[in-house]
């Protein structure tokens, strides 16, 4: 800016500043200024306290305490002053900390220890600094969004029926995939019990927490789907790109895309002759005929709707019935186990455990082999908390180009005026990231629909995103710089030979050029040239 002013003919410049900048900025100004600069302070010390750093883990396991750190900065306080810091989990006030008023130019750090957060997917934790006479409110509140429960890309098992299968299947899937897993057993209407060796077994989890986990799971397992499935589970299963179905009834099989009749009792022995399928290389060489039999098999129709990976027969000469079907479409890969009792293979030492691991290892490898970004994934913000004054960034999976994103502000207590509702079409770049214009600070609920979708139908994606209000304007203390004149820098590029106005900024050269061109044109006209 100083260079441009010098080029337009300024002999000196007056800089008005609060001087809440670094010493390096002042040194660079002194060194690089092409003309003398007069520094003039505006503003001054004010009574203010703000939150500098607020750090919390982005993910915590269910039942774990949350450790973090918080720092305060401020100025204009007395030695006896203290600051109240309100910690809130969601909208609920958890604790009020009393912290000494920080001295100018320094920050006071305090540790934070929160109890286990509610298991609702993503939880907003906020810290608010309060002090009497605070003159600048934008730096008083900072928030963080903490994900509770399963991390991104894990294994999620939902069982609707008490059975031994989930107890054996979940740790095998964790072992063969290398992913963390969680299991939940239905214990009544909209309530589940947590399963797993590492989990707090018997802990009751609401259905809403399971619903929030569905889109985040890399691999979803649904066990015990009979005649009735909860609507939220049915919707989540249909939208998931990698699912293992272990149905017990025709409705569960239909949800998996397989038409089946009622289950047939009896003992069904796996067929040692493997059909060509993605799973057959994992099972080759194993004596499947010597394994414990399966039970409760669902006879599928003439067209299973996919690749048959395993047959089972009630007698050696009996008709074979598919025991495992693999289905694939552009949006998902689905494995359907139409028989029950696979857990018996691994309940005793021997080749059965090897076969059980090979079977589900092959199924999981095939399900997870599809590239991420297939249709069925959800639009979501790059981060639940996005910085103030910058474009909003969204991850947009394949097939969601042109979807309509709607941001509706969530009114908070103390808001004088809510920001406007935002609607924009998502146009991702080559990396699958779409940007929206800079949006006013606040908390927004969002939903994603296609423009021609029925408004009565559920949104493709919904959730929350926050544009941070916090700004660090007063975090840096003013430099102790007296009002003074800084001469032009020794090594700076001068505006002219003697520091005067550059030739290109004078009008005379341009007028002279125009006169010469006009004279040349006039002379050519006089001699008859064109």
């Amino acid at each position: 800016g100083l260079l441009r002013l010098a080029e337009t003919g300024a002999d000196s410049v007056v800089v008005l500043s609060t001087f809440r900048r670094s010493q390096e900025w002042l040194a660079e100004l002194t060194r690089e200024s092409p003309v003398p600069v007069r520094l003039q302070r505006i503003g001054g010390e004010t009574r203010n306290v703000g939150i500098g750093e607020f750090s919390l883990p982005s993910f915590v396991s269910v039942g774990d305490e949350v450790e973090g750190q918080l720092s305060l900065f401020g100025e204009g306080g007395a030695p006896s002053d203290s600051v109240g810091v309100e910690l809130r989990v969601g909208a609920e006030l958890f604790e009020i900390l009393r912290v000494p008023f920080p001295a100018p130019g320094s920050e006071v750090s305090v540790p934070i220890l929160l109890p286990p957060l509610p298991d609702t997917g993503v939880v907003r934790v906020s810290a608010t600094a309060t002090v009497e006479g605070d003159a600048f409110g934008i730096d008083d509140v900072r928030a963080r969004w903490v994900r509770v429960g399963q991390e991104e890309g894990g294994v999620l098992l939902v069982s609707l029926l008490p059975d031994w299968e989930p107890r054996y299947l979940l740790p095998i899937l964790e072992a063969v995939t290398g992913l963390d897993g969680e299991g939940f057993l239905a214990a009544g209407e909209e309530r589940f019990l947590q399963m797993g060796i590492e989990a707090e077994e018997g802990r009751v989890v609401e259905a809403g927490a399971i619903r929030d986990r569905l889109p985040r799971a890399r691999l979803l397992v649904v066990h015990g789907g009979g005649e009735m499935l909860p609507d939220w589970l049915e919707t989540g299963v249909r939208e998931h790109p990698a699912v293992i179905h272990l149905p017990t009834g025709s409705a569960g099989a239909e949800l998996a895309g397989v038409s089946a009749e009622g289950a047939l009792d009896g003992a069904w022995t796996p067929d040692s002759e493997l059909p060509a399928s993605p799973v057959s290389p994992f099972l080759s060489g194993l004596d499947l005929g010597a394994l414990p039999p399966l039970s409760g098999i669902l006879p599928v129709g003439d067209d299973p709707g996919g690749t048959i990976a395993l047959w089972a027969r009630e007698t050696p000469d009996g008709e074979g019935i598919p025991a495992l079907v693999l289905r694939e479409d552009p949006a998902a890969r689905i494995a359907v186990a139409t028989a029950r009792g696979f857990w018996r293979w691994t309940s005793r030492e021997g080749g059965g455990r090897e076969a059980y691991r090979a079977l589900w290892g092959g199924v999981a490898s095939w399900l997870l082999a599809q590239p991420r970004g297939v249709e069925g994934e959800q639009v979501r913000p790059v981060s639940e908390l996005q910085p103030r004054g910058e474009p909003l960034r969204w991850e947009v999976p394949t097939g969601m180009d042109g979807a309509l994103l709607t941001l509706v502000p969530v009114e908070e207590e103390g808001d004088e005026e809510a920001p406007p509702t935002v609607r924009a079409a998502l146009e991702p770049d080559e990396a699958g990231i779409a940007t929206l214009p800079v949006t006013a600070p606040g908390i927004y609920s969002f939903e994603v629909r296609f423009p021609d979708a029925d408004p009565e139908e559920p949104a493709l994606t919904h959730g929350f995103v926050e544009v941070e209000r916090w700004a660090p304007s007063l975090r840096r203390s003013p430099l102790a710089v007296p009002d003074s004149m800084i001469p032009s820098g020794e090594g700076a590029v001068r505006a002219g030979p003697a520091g005067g106005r550059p030739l290109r900024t004078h009008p005379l050269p341009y007028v002279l050029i125009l006169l010469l061109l006009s004279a040349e044109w006039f002379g050519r006209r006089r001699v008859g040239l064109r």
Side-chain angles (χ1 to χ4, degrees):
L2 291 175
L3 180 60
R4 298 297 180 267
L5 289 171
E7 289 178 347
T8 60
D11 295 324
S12 64
V13 176
V14 178
V15 174
L16 308 180
S17 175
T18 61
F19 295 108
R20 294 182 182 273
R21 292 180 174 270
S22 65
Q23 193 71 39
E24 290 75 15
W25 169 81
L26 185 62
E28 183 178 2
L29 180 67
T30 303
R31 182 176 63 254
E32 300 294 340
S33 173
V35 295
V37 175
R38 179 176 298 280
L39 304 179
Q40 185 171 328
R41 185 184 302 274
I42 58 174
E45 187 177 84
T46 183
R47 182 172 174 81
N48 173 67
V49 69
I51 297 177
E53 297 297 331
F54 185 38
S55 60
L56 291 174
S58 58
F59 163 79
V60 294
S61 298
V62 175
D64 287 354
E65 294 182 329
V66 184
E67 297 182 6
Q69 196 79 15
L70 180 145
S71 69
L72 297 179
F73 63 88
E75 60 185 51
S80 60
D81 286 343
S82 65
V83 181
V85 180
E86 299 178 354
L87 296 177
R88 294 181 181 272
V89 177
E92 298 296 326
L93 177 63
F94 164 68
E95 185 180 6
I96 299 179
L97 305 175
R98 301 305 304 183
V99 183
F101 200 107
S106 64
E107 296 193 6
V108 177
S109 296
V110 292
I112 296 173
L113 182 63
L114 300 176
L117 298 178
D119 187 12
T120 55
V122 182
V123 179
R124 184 178 187 264
V125 181
S126 62
T128 304
T130 59
V131 68
E132 185 178 357
D134 193 307
F136 191 74
I138 297 179
D139 55 13
D140 293 347
V141 182
R142 298 206 77 172
R144 291 291 180 264
W145 292 76
V146 181
R147 191 174 298 279
V148 183
Q150 185 188 26
E151 289 188 270
E152 294 285 339
V155 179
L156 175 62
L157 187 151
V158 181
S159 178
L160 304 174
L161 181 72
D163 190 76
W164 286 104
E165 198 75 64
R167 177 73 61 180
Y168 291 102
L169 180 58
L170 183 58
I172 285 294
L173 291 176
E174 290 182 286
V176 298
T177 63
L179 303 174
D180 294 329
E182 284 187 311
F184 298 92
L185 170 65
E189 187 176 356
E190 301 295 302
R191 299 170 74 246
F192 289 79
L193 296 179
Q194 189 170 11
M195 301 185 300
I197 297 175
E198 301 294 334
E200 183 184 345
E201 297 204 35
R203 190 179 66 87
V204 177
V205 177
E206 298 297 328
I210 311 297
R211 182 181 61 246
D212 292 339
R213 284 169 164 80
L214 291 177
R216 303 201 308 270
R218 182 78 190 277
L219 177 60
L220 175 62
V221 183
V222 181
H223 169 261
E227 299 306 317
M228 295 293 294
L229 279 81
D231 292 341
W232 59 267
L233 180 58
E234 183 173 343
T235 300
V237 168
R238 293 186 187 280
E239 296 176 351
H240 203 280
V243 187
I244 296 176
H245 286 271
L246 301 163
T248 58
S250 57
E254 184 178 353
L255 176 62
V258 174
S259 177
E261 301 175 1
L264 299 177
D265 294 329
W268 299 82
T269 303
D271 198 334
S272 296
E273 294 186 10
L274 295 171
S277 77
V279 177
S280 60
F282 294 85
L283 297 174
S284 62
L286 299 176
D287 186 7
L288 300 182
L291 296 174
L294 306 173
S295 62
I297 197 165
L298 294 170
V300 301
D302 296 335
D303 182 9
T307 301
I308 298 174
L310 184 67
W311 292 88
R313 303 176 189 273
E314 192 171 20
T315 63
D317 298 329
E319 181 182 359
I321 295 181
L324 179 65
V325 179
L326 307 179
R327 298 184 58 251
E328 182 174 12
D329 58 43
R333 286 184 175 180
I334 299 169
V336 188
T338 57
R340 297 173 60 186
F342 287 96
W343 62 270
R344 296 189 181 94
W345 296 4
T346 190
S347 60
R348 290 178 292 180
E349 296 285 349
R353 291 191 175 180
E354 182 183 354
Y356 191 81
R357 184 185 182 96
L359 172 69
W360 295 115
V363 170
S365 297
W366 175 73
L367 289 172
L368 300 180
Q370 59 180 332
R372 300 296 284 168
V374 299
E375 295 183 14
E377 289 191 41
Q378 294 188 335
V379 174
R380 59 183 178 180
V382 171
S383 171
E384 281 86 3
L385 182 67
Q386 305 224 14
R388 175 192 185 105
E390 296 184 12
L392 300 187
R393 303 175 69 242
W394 297 80
E395 296 179 2
V396 183
T398 303
M400 298 293 288
D401 300 24
L404 184 63
L405 173 71
T406 303
L407 297 175
V408 179
V410 177
E411 293 187 10
E412 295 184 274
E413 184 178 353
D415 282 351
E416 297 181 0
E417 183 178 353
T421 297
V422 177
R423 290 185 177 85
L426 295 171
E427 300 295 341
D429 57 18
E430 294 181 356
I433 302 297
T435 57
L436 269 64
V438 175
T439 304
I443 302 175
Y444 297 85
S445 64
F446 72 85
E447 64 177 26
V448 179
R449 301 174 183 272
F450 284 114
D452 55 352
D454 185 350
E456 300 298 326
E457 294 182 358
L460 298 172
T461 312
H462 60 87
F464 292 92
V465 65
E466 179 176 1
V467 180
E468 193 171 29
R469 288 187 171 89
W470 183 84
S473 305
L474 301 185
R475 187 174 184 181
R476 191 186 298 275
S477 298
L479 294 172
V481 179
D483 294 351
S484 60
M485 173 69 78
I486 298 177
S488 58
E490 295 296 332
V493 178
R494 304 290 178 167
R501 186 173 183 176
L503 181 63
R504 64 178 179 274
T505 64
H506 286 273
L508 183 59
Y510 301 100
V511 173
L512 181 59
I513 292 173
L514 287 174
L515 290 176
L516 290 174
L517 288 174
S518 298
E520 191 267 347
W521 177 82
F522 181 76
R524 292 171 66 88
R525 294 284 293 183
R526 293 287 294 175
V527 298
L529 298 177
R530 294 291 186 268

